[in-house]
Coordinates of all heavy atoms in Angstrom, one line a residue:
Chain B
R1149 N 181.9 37.0 102.1 CA 183.0 36.8 103.1 C 182.9 35.4 103.6 O 184.0 34.7 103.8 CB 182.7 37.7 104.4 CG 183.3 39.0 104.2 CD 182.9 39.8 105.4 NE 183.6 41.2 105.2 CZ 183.1 42.2 106.0 NH1 182.1 42.1 106.8 NH2 183.6 43.4 105.8
N1150 N 181.7 35.0 103.9 CA 181.6 33.7 104.5 C 181.2 32.5 103.4 O 180.8 31.5 103.7 CB 180.4 33.6 105.6 CG 180.7 34.7 106.5 OD1 181.9 34.5 107.3 ND2 179.9 35.7 106.8
G1151 N 181.5 33.0 102.1 CA 181.3 32.0 101.1 C 182.5 31.3 100.6 O 183.6 31.5 101.3
P1152 N 182.4 30.3 99.7 CA 183.6 29.6 99.3 C 184.8 30.2 98.9 O 185.9 29.8 99.1 CB 183.1 28.6 98.3 CG 181.6 29.1 97.8 CD 181.1 29.9 98.9
L1153 N 184.6 31.4 98.2 CA 185.8 32.2 97.8 C 186.0 33.5 98.7 O 186.6 34.5 98.2 CB 185.6 32.7 96.3 CG 185.5 31.4 95.4 CD1 185.4 31.9 93.8 CD2 186.7 30.5 95.4
G1154 N 185.3 33.5 99.8 CA 185.3 34.8 100.6 C 186.8 35.3 101.1 O 187.0 36.4 101.2
G1155 N 187.7 34.3 101.1 CA 189.0 34.6 101.5 C 189.7 35.6 100.6 O 190.6 36.2 101.1
F1156 N 189.3 35.6 99.4 CA 189.9 36.6 98.4 C 189.5 38.0 98.6 O 190.1 38.8 97.9 CB 189.6 36.1 97.1 CG 190.3 34.8 96.6 CD1 189.6 33.7 96.6 CD2 191.6 34.7 96.3 CE1 190.2 32.4 96.2 CE2 192.3 33.5 96.0 CZ 191.5 32.3 96.0
E1157 N 188.4 38.1 99.4 CA 187.9 39.5 99.6 C 187.6 40.3 98.3 O 188.1 41.4 98.1 CB 188.8 40.3 100.5 CG 189.1 39.6 101.8 CD 188.9 40.3 103.0 OE1 188.4 41.5 103.0 OE2 189.2 39.8 104.1
L1158 N 187.0 39.6 97.3 CA 186.6 40.3 96.1 C 185.4 41.0 96.0 O 185.3 41.8 95.0 CB 186.8 39.2 95.0 CG 188.2 38.7 94.8 CD1 188.1 37.5 93.7 CD2 189.1 39.8 94.2
L1159 N 184.4 40.7 96.7 CA 183.1 41.2 96.5 C 183.1 42.8 96.7 O 183.8 43.3 97.5 CB 182.2 40.7 97.6 CG 180.6 40.8 97.3 CD1 180.3 40.2 95.9 CD2 179.7 40.3 98.4
Y1160 N 182.4 43.3 95.9 CA 182.4 44.9 95.7 C 183.7 45.5 95.3 O 184.1 46.6 95.7 CB 181.9 45.5 97.1 CG 180.6 44.9 97.5 CD1 180.5 44.5 99.0 CD2 179.5 44.8 96.8 CE1 179.4 44.0 99.4 CE2 178.3 44.2 97.2 CZ 178.3 43.8 98.6 OH 177.1 43.2 99.1
T1161 N 184.6 44.8 94.5 CA 185.6 45.2 93.9 C 185.5 45.1 92.4 O 184.8 44.4 91.9 CB 187.0 44.4 94.3 OG1 186.9 43.2 93.8 CG2 187.1 44.4 95.9
P1162 N 186.4 45.9 91.7 CA 186.4 45.8 90.2 C 186.7 44.3 89.8 O 186.0 43.9 88.8 CB 187.6 46.8 89.8 CG 187.6 47.7 90.9 CD 187.2 46.9 92.2
S1163 N 187.4 43.6 90.5 CA 187.8 42.2 90.2 C 186.6 41.4 90.1 O 186.4 40.5 89.3 CB 188.7 41.7 91.0 OG 189.9 42.4 91.2
A1164 N 185.6 41.7 91.0 CA 184.4 40.9 91.0 C 183.6 41.2 89.9 O 182.9 40.3 89.2 CB 183.6 41.4 92.3
I1165 N 183.6 42.3 89.3 CA 182.8 42.7 88.2 C 183.4 42.0 86.8 O 182.8 41.4 86.1 CB 182.8 44.3 87.8 CG1 182.1 44.9 89.0 CG2 181.9 44.5 86.5 CD1 182.0 46.4 88.8
I1166 N 184.8 42.0 86.9 CA 185.4 41.3 85.7 C 185.0 39.9 85.8 O 184.9 39.2 84.8 CB 187.0 41.6 85.9 CG1 187.3 43.1 85.8 CG2 187.7 40.7 84.8 CD1 188.7 43.4 86.0
L1167 N 185.2 39.2 87.0 CA 184.8 37.8 87.2 C 183.4 37.5 86.7 O 183.3 36.5 85.8 CB 185.1 37.4 88.6 CG 184.7 35.9 88.9 CD1 185.7 35.0 88.3 CD2 184.7 35.7 90.4
A1168 N 182.5 38.3 87.0 CA 181.1 38.0 86.7 C 181.0 38.1 85.2 O 180.3 37.4 84.5 CB 180.2 38.9 87.4
Q1169 N 181.5 39.2 84.6 CA 181.3 39.5 83.2 C 182.1 38.5 82.3 O 181.7 38.1 81.3 CB 182.0 40.9 82.8 CG 181.1 42.0 83.5 CD 181.4 43.3 83.0 OE1 182.5 43.6 82.4 NE2 180.5 44.3 83.0

Side-chain angles (χ1 to χ4, degrees):
Chain B
R1149 276 177 180 162
N1150 304 300
L1153 300 177
F1156 293 100
E1157 309 235 2
L1158 288 178
L1159 197 57
Y1160 310 131
T1161 65
S1163 309
I1165 303 182
I1166 295 173
L1167 176 66
Q1169 291 190 340

